[in-house]
């Protein structure tokens, strides 16, 4: 098995080759599709391969290159989308059979359209928790996505298919959504880079909603360079100018974020702080209540969104999803209002804390991915459901709407990940810190058998 390390941008390298005529977009796309058809039987990250449409678009890229036209900065780069993004000509299922009889989308989601315009080619839709309600990508309809680093373990969720397909080396980048940690959790458990942008920054047109007041979409990739390039295109913005990392004030979150984590993860964060030459620790107030508020807001908004359909077709839902949505729909209005009031207070406290630092560092999960046959984690000495609790460190941060970059720590064992948390609109500082950690070898992803990078494989 070949291993391709992440010291260079895989997506950007493909685009450079296609633009220069060293590889054709068609050969890249057909090679990736063939690779997925063979290898994804182990991981179950893909729900549909967009074969004919993908090849047709790749042919357009090749014609542009042959004619001397600009094919775009991501020319011929294959990517996948979590199955809640509209892709023209396809039914958007949001991971559920409830929507399978809907009409195909007549247009791409805005962020997908922007990537197409940049020359990137969507080749697959990817597995997820039904309606994005979960942290494990255990789907009653399409099955469980397995972690490429150990197929006996969970990939995390709800964007598990997106993370696993990058970790497996099948795709250089993918798209996911994050409401309470659905990019950050699977990125960390699968050992890839992921970004939850500032709330409201990315257009959500053509993305199936879960919790409108928390939903964000973002990229997952095998390198910081690719993540940054895809982020800028999705945002419709020019490439970021990164500050000097030495000018970025970094602090570690303590208290809630220092409890229940594995010794290996603690050591990894210690090493990051030592390398950055920072020792400040900041403790946020009432984090447990912040997590509870995020949970209640999600349950109430999600439940009310689905209530009309639940009244007609409840038995078609995944039983676990159905129960949580119905419980959320029955929450008293007063409970929802109190959660929103607390949300405003907590956001003010976090913004005040950001006066002391530009970037907070915190764990993304408590440790490595749980086993599929034992889907639990330990919190405060008690065994609890992984599906409900893998977001213990991501949910409180979601409440604030802040941007978060998930960074995979370097190591020899199963993947571990951290959150780099910034100010609203502070993605440039997050990328500066991430790039330094990658440069120093403290954070990296290592996709397995990266077929898209092999020129001798027909791709």
């Amino acid at each position: 098995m070949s291993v391709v390390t992440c010291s260079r941008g895989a997506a950007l390298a493909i685009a450079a080759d296609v633009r220069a005529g060293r590889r054709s977009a068609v050969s890249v796309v057909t090679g990736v599709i063939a690779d997925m058809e063979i290898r994804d039987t182990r991981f179950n990250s893909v729900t549909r391969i967009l074969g004919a449409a993908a090849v047709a678009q790749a042919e357009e890229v090749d014609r542009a290159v042959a004619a001397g036209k600009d094919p775009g900065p991501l020319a011929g780069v294959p990517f996948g989308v979590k199955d809640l993004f509209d892709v023209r000509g396809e039914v958007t299922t949001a991971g559920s059979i409830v929507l399978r009889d809907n009409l195909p989308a007549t247009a791409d989601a805005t962020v997908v359209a922007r990537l197409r315009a940049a020359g990137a080619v969507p080749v697959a839709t990817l597995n997820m928790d039904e309606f994005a309600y979960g942290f494990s990508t255990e789907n009653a309809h399409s099955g469980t996505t397995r972690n490429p680093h150990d197929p006996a373990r969970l990939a995390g969720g709800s964007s598990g298919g997106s993370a696993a397909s990058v970790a497996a080396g099948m795709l250089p980048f993918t798209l996911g959504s994050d409401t309470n940690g659905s990019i950050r959790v699977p990125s960390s458990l699968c050992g890839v880079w992921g970004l939850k942008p500032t709330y409201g920054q990315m257009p959500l047109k053509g993305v199936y909603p879960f919790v409108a007041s928390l939903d964000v979409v973002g990229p997952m990739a095998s390198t910081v360079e690719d993540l940054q390039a895809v982020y800028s295109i999705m945002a419709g913005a020019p490439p970021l100018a990164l500050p000097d990392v030495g000018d970025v004030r970094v602090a570690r979150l303590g208290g809630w974020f220092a409890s229940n984590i594995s010794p290996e993860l603690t050591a990894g964060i210690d090493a990051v702080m030592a390398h950055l030459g920072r020792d400040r620790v900041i403790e946020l107030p009432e984090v447990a209540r912040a997590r509870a508020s995020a949970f209640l807001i999600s349950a109430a908004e999600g439940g009310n969104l689905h209530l009309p359909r639940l009244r007609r077709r409840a038995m078609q839902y995944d039983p676990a999803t159905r129960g949580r949505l119905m419980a959320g729909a029955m929450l008293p209005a007063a409970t929802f209002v109190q959660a929103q009031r607390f949300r405003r207070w907590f956001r003010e406290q976090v913004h005040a804390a950001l006066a002391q630092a530009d970037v907070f560092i915190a764990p993304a999960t408590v440790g490595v991915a749980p086993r599929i046959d034992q889907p639990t984690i330990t919190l405060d000495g008690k065994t609890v459901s992984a599906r409900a609790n893998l977001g213990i460190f991501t949910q409180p941060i979601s409440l604030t709407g802040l941007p978060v970059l998930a960074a995979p720590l370097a190591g020899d064992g199963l993947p571990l990940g951290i959150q780099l948390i910034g100010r609203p609109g502070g993605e440039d500082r997050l990328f500066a810190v991430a790039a330094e950690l990658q440069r120093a070898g403290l954070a990296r992803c290592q996709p397995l058998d990266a077929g898209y990078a092999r020129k001798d494989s027909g791709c």
Side-chain angles (χ1 to χ4, degrees):
M1 179 179 68
S2 64
V3 175
V4 178
T5 59
C6 300
S7 59
R8 58 189 173 86
L12 294 176
I14 292 170
D17 282 349
V18 170
R19 290 167 64 89
R22 292 186 293 268
R23 302 169 77 180
S24 71
V26 168
S27 68
V28 173
V29 167
T30 55
V32 163
I33 289 173
D35 185 50
M36 287 192 298
E37 288 176 337
I38 294 169
R39 292 203 296 124
D40 194 56
T41 54
R42 294 184 63 205
F43 312 125
N44 195 38
S45 68
V46 175
T47 53
R48 280 171 293 179
I49 292 177
L50 311 175
V55 172
Q57 187 188 340
E59 290 172 342
E60 292 179 10
V61 172
D62 287 336
R63 284 194 291 269
V65 172
K69 298 178 181 178
D70 184 359
L74 294 178
V77 179
F79 72 100
V81 302
K82 184 176 183 176
D83 201 4
L84 48 62
F85 290 83
D86 284 353
V87 177
R88 64 178 185 240
E90 300 293 330
V91 175
T92 306
T93 72
S96 179
I97 63 171
V98 177
L99 303 182
R100 67 183 178 184
D101 294 328
N102 284 5
L103 292 174
T106 58
D108 291 325
T110 299
V111 292
V112 175
R114 287 176 176 176
L115 289 165
R116 270 198 211 264
V121 181
V123 298
T125 61
L126 305 169
N127 202 14
M128 58 182 286
D129 287 284
E130 185 183 52
F131 292 115
Y133 207 167
F135 287 117
S136 58
T137 311
E138 296 173 278
N139 189 298
H141 315 300
S142 53
T144 298
T145 293
R146 296 175 177 270
N147 194 314
H149 292 274
D150 180 356
R153 295 178 183 270
L154 294 170
S158 62
S159 307
S162 300
S165 57
V166 173
M170 293 187 294
L171 292 168
F173 81 88
T174 56
L175 303 188
S177 67
D178 191 308
T179 302
N180 284 298
S182 290
I183 288 174
R184 292 163 285 162
V185 168
S187 291
S188 299
L189 297 184
C190 290
V192 305
W193 298 90
L195 179 70
K196 170 197 173 295
T198 303
Y199 176 78
Q201 188 182 82
M202 291 288 181
L204 295 178
K205 183 178 180 181
V207 180
Y208 198 89
F210 174 29
V211 182
S213 69
L214 294 173
D215 290 346
V216 177
V217 299
M220 304 160 89
S222 59
T223 69
V224 173
E225 294 84 0
D226 285 349
L227 193 75
Q228 183 180 337
V230 174
Y231 157 73
S232 295
I233 292 167
M234 291 176 67
L240 290 174
L242 304 188
D244 187 312
V245 72
D247 296 331
V248 179
R249 298 174 302 158
V250 177
R252 179 181 193 159
L253 291 184
W256 177 273
F257 297 95
S259 302
N260 291 305
I261 65 175
S262 70
E264 295 81 7
L265 186 49
T266 298
I269 297 175
D270 288 344
V272 166
M273 297 301 292
H275 174 76
L276 296 173
R278 306 292 197 272
D279 59 7
R280 180 184 289 273
V281 178
I282 292 176
E283 188 166 339
L284 301 178
E286 300 283 3
V287 179
R289 290 182 67 193
R291 184 187 177 219
S293 294
F295 177 86
L296 289 169
I297 291 168
S298 298
E301 287 195 36
N304 279 274
L305 174 68
H306 286 271
L307 185 57
R309 189 183 294 114
L310 283 167
R311 285 173 169 154
R312 304 190 312 271
R313 304 170 64 183
M315 298 313 294
Q316 289 185 301
Y317 281 72
D318 178 330
T321 307
R322 178 176 66 238
R324 283 177 290 171
L325 288 172
M326 293 178 71
M330 292 187 289
L331 280 172
T335 300
F336 179 73
V337 171
Q338 290 167 3
Q340 291 286 14
R341 287 175 178 166
F342 177 82
R343 177 184 189 175
R344 179 176 179 178
W345 177 86
F346 183 70
R347 186 164 49 207
E348 291 172 351
Q349 305 309 305
V350 175
H351 284 201
L354 282 165
Q356 305 174 56
D358 302 307
V359 174
F360 295 150
I361 294 182
T365 60
V366 299
V368 302
R371 290 182 57 86
I372 292 172
D373 60 359
Q374 296 176 324
T376 61
I377 60 175
T378 301
L379 299 179
D380 298 326
K382 299 179 181 178
T383 300
V384 297
S385 163
R387 186 171 188 171
N389 291 283
L390 277 170
I392 183 174
F393 298 130
T394 57
Q395 283 176 297
I397 303 303
S398 292
L399 205 61
T400 65
L402 298 176
V404 187
L405 196 156
L409 293 177
D412 297 327
L414 291 169
L416 295 166
I418 59 174
Q419 298 182 86
L420 308 179
I421 304 161
R423 299 176 177 184
E427 282 83 355
D428 58 340
R429 292 172 174 82
L430 300 183
F431 277 110
V433 174
E436 172 58 22
L437 297 180
Q438 180 178 256
R439 184 204 64 78
L442 289 169
R444 68 172 186 269
C445 90
Q446 192 164 297
L448 308 177
D449 199 22
Y452 54 73
R454 296 197 303 272
K455 296 183 185 180
D456 60 353
S457 66
C459 66

